[in-house]
Structure formats: C-alpha cells, structure tokens
Amino acid sequence: MNRQTEFTLLIVGASFSIMTFLGAMAYTVIFGLNTLLVFDTSYYAGPDEAIFFGIITFVSVIAVIFALVSAIFGFVGAFKVKSGGPKVKTIAVCFIILGGLQIFTIHGILFLIAGILALNKKEYKTVSKEYETISTEDEGTKWE
C-alpha cells in the first residue's frame, strides 16, 4: 500500500526531533556547567540558586532523553509504516500518543497527523488483470 504521505510526515517530524535533541543537549551542557560553577563557588550565589540550576539541568536532561527516543522511534516507525506490515495500526496509535505528548511542538503535530492518517487509511484490494475476463457477447440483449 502506498503510504508516502505518512512516511514523509514521520521523516520530517523525526528530523525536527533531532534538531530539538541538539538544542536541548546544548541547553543541558550550558546549565550543567552553570550548576557545577554555582556548587563549586558558593560565595557567588546562594543555595537557592544552586537548587534552581540543578532543577533546570535535570529537566533539560529529561528533555534530551525524550527528544532522542522520539527521533529514534520516528525514524524506525517511518520505515515500518512505509513497508506496510501487519502492525501499522499499532504503530499509528503509538504515534498518536507520542504526538499527543508533544502537541506543543512542530514534530509532535507532525507525528499526530501521521498517526491519524495511518490509522484511517483504507486498504483497497486490486484485481489482477490475468484473472479478469470480460465478455461482451451476452450484454447486448439486456434492453431489447
């Protein structure tokens, strides 16, 4: 079955997820270094600022892990949907859930749209031309 639209949406969404991963990784490195500096030199900042930087670093580490998992699942799922195996509906539901968790991002919206399209795609059966016989001899006397 042709699932080119879903494949394209998932590849673009996974690419945006990789860009999010790289941005979150830079954010984690910057706030991680700030946290280390605040903990190391406590005479520049109080303990409440150290806790604040620690919380922001922890949240950015969680964002990095989530973006990496989202990118990997996006690429793997895109090729699974493209191959058209028996578990396309399951993968579509997973992408709807993943897109719902990331609804405020571009790649989350793309995952959600691709999941809905893959879930609602109807399968059409084609008839082989070898077995199809058309006889026009008996159709002429129908209206007479």
Side-chain angles (χ1 to χ4, degrees), residues 15-95:
S15 300
F16 277 128
S17 189
I18 285 179
M19 289 192 300
T20 302
F21 165 73
L22 294 174
M25 189 65 157
Y27 197 75
T28 302
V29 168
I30 290 170
F31 271 102
L33 290 175
N34 283 339
T35 303
L36 290 176
L37 288 175
V38 167
F39 278 133
D40 186 38
T41 58
S42 61
Y43 55 91
Y44 285 120
D48 53 344
E49 291 177 357
I51 292 172
F52 175 74
F53 280 127
I55 290 172
I56 288 178
T57 303
F58 178 74
V59 169
S60 63
V61 166
I62 297 297
V64 163
I65 292 170
F66 194 71
L68 181 63
V69 168
S70 174
I72 291 171
F73 187 71
F75 281 119
V76 170
F79 289 104
K80 292 274 186 185
V81 166
K82 180 69 173 174
S83 68
K87 296 186 178 183
V88 173
K89 301 280 184 187
T90 307
I91 294 171
V93 170
C94 291
F95 275 115

Side-chain angles (χ1 to χ4, degrees), residues 3 5-10 81 92 95-96 108-120:
R3 294 190 181 267
T5 307
E6 293 91 342
F7 178 74
T8 306
L9 287 172
L10 291 174
V81 166
F95 275 115
I96 289 173
I109 293 170
L110 292 175
F111 286 157
L112 187 65
I113 292 170
I116 291 171
L117 284 175
L119 192 64
N120 290 332

Side-chain angles (χ1 to χ4, degrees), residues 123-135:
E123 296 183 24
Y124 296 107
K125 295 183 180 180
T126 59
V127 178
S128 177
K129 294 288 184 183
E130 296 175 2
Y131 301 110
E132 187 177 13
T133 59
I134 301 172
S135 63

